[in-house]
Amino acid sequence: MDPILEMLIALESLDAELEDFESEEYRNSINITQSASDEVFSQQIDKLKELREEVVRSLPIAIYKRYQRLREKYKRGVAPVVNGICANCFMEFPSALVSRPVKNKSLETCPNCGIYVYWTK
Amino acid sequence: MFAQLLREDRVIIDLKAKDKEEVLQELLSVLNLKPEQEKIVLEQLKKREAIGSTGVGRGVAIPHTRSVVVDDVQLVVGVSKGGIDFQSLDGKPVHLFFLLIAPPQDLGARYLITLGEIANVARKVVSTKEYLNFETSKELMEYLMKIYREA
């Protein structure tokens, strides 16, 4: 897999997890014994942000900026392509692209919405 | 959601893993992801564990993450009769695992709903540890479904 795509996938996951931590529903679910304090959660969020920064530092700045713009617009920077369809804008990819045997070896974007794409199948 | 996601072929009655990384791999293995997908999800699960163990205490862990490499919410349940050191909040070994993976965007917040349902089930089962007594995946699945419906 393209190493930049792999980092973008990791970044997307970390951003989603940061959003989860802001949800009370999430905190209650992972705190079933009520033994984790707000301070513990706060420390975990800080660690998550550090991990995010590490990933960001390893990305080319132009790609990170584009990722951020995509997240502002679509609330995500990477979308899966499932059965040849972009999960962000639902555009069907050209069959020539879908039928390629090798995918995810280079960084690609959706020709319609511009989001970075990960081919699931 | 829990009831829809719980499947017999995703219930491991006797985990062989001996440590944290092994158990994450063993739980992931039943999802039949492509090797590159499994590697990405495993790394993400390890990152999540690095910021704080999802061993929530009283013998239960709920390893979870989000990744674009899965196209729907996935649940795997596993039992380790011997227990695994998962660096839990209470320092005790973990016997019951609920692995939950979801895409970053899931319609209807199914991930958080399922996480809440798992927590409710976990709260109910920790006192008796009856989940250790089952011989087949089907029996454990039916037990968890019963608890879920009562929760």
Side-chain angles (χ1 to χ4, degrees):
Chain A
M1 180 182 294
D2 181 89
I4 304 279
L5 176 60
E6 200 166 333
M7 281 188 275
L8 286 171
I9 288 171
L11 189 58
E12 182 81 19
S13 297
L14 292 167
D15 280 336
E17 286 176 7
L18 273 167
E19 283 175 13
D20 287 337
F21 264 102
E22 287 168 13
S23 146
E24 197 172 335
E25 195 179 356
Y26 175 78
R27 293 180 186 217
N28 286 337
S29 298
I30 60 167
N31 193 17
I32 66 168
T33 56
Q34 301 295 312
S35 49
S37 62
D38 285 346
E39 194 184 337
V40 168
F41 284 126
S42 176
Q43 286 168 353
Q44 291 187 347
I45 291 169
D46 287 345
K47 284 184 192 171
L48 204 48
K49 286 178 178 170
E50 281 172 27
L51 281 174
R52 187 186 189 279
E53 280 310 303
E54 274 177 36
V55 176
V56 169
R57 277 197 296 272
S58 60
L59 279 170
I61 187 76
I63 288 179
Y64 176 62
K65 281 185 175 173
R66 183 187 167 107
Y67 169 88
Q68 282 294 89
R69 283 199 300 274
L70 289 164
R71 276 196 69 85
E72 281 163 23
K73 190 170 181 184
Y74 300 118
K75 301 200 183 310
R76 62 173 152 196
V78 186
V81 179
V82 184
N83 298 324
I85 293 170
C86 171
N88 187 53
C89 69
F90 304 106
M91 190 209 76
E92 198 168 341
F93 273 67
S95 57
L97 291 176
V98 179
S99 60
R100 288 172 302 163
V102 177
K103 300 187 184 82
N104 300 321
K105 295 291 181 197
S106 62
L107 192 60
E108 291 179 47
T109 56
C110 170
N112 185 47
C113 66
I115 204 153
Y116 291 114
V117 293
Y118 170 76
W119 293 79
T120 58
K121 286 164 189 162
Chain B
M1 277 308 308
F2 181 83
Q4 289 168 273
L5 295 171
L6 191 63
R7 289 168 32 180
E8 190 180 341
D9 63 340
R10 293 195 176 171
V11 176
I12 308 171
I13 196 70
D14 193 10
L15 289 160
K16 303 289 180 284
K18 299 290 179 209
D19 61 33
K20 197 172 205 174
E21 182 160 347
E22 279 181 15
V23 75
L24 293 174
Q25 277 178 329
E26 192 173 351
L27 291 163
L28 267 179
S29 67
V30 299
L31 294 177
N32 294 319
L33 298 171
K34 289 192 285 192
E36 72 169 24
Q37 293 174 322
E38 193 172 302
K39 178 179 160 249
I40 287 170
V41 177
L42 180 62
E43 282 307 310
Q44 206 56 43
L45 286 167
K46 283 160 65 179
K47 278 197 176 93
R48 176 60 187 83
E49 292 302 321
I51 67 155
S53 176
T54 59
V56 293
R58 303 189 71 184
V60 176
I62 314 173
H64 56 274
T65 193
R66 291 186 183 260
S67 181
V68 293
V69 306
V70 294
D71 51 21
D72 203 355
V73 185
Q74 312 282 345
L75 172 68
V76 181
V77 177
V79 168
S80 167
K81 310 266 184 192
I84 294 167
D85 179 6
F86 211 73
Q87 292 89 47
S88 291
L89 290 171
D90 59 3
K92 292 183 178 163
V94 171
H95 295 276
L96 180 60
F97 293 87
F98 295 93
L99 174 76
L100 188 66
I101 303 163
Q105 284 79 26
D106 66 297
L107 291 174
R110 298 169 53 180
Y111 174 69
L112 290 179
I113 290 168
T114 310
L115 206 52
E117 290 173 344
I118 290 170
N120 285 338
V121 170
R123 285 187 190 100
K124 294 270 181 182
V125 301
V126 289
S127 52
T128 64
K129 291 201 172 169
E130 204 178 334
Y131 57 80
L132 288 170
N133 301 333
F134 298 104
E135 297 295 325
T136 66
S137 298
K138 190 176 180 198
E139 285 172 355
L140 176 59
M141 189 185 82
E142 286 171 355
Y143 168 73
L144 293 172
M145 283 298 290
K146 179 172 156 278
I147 298 291
Y148 166 72
R149 291 196 183 103
E150 289 170 1

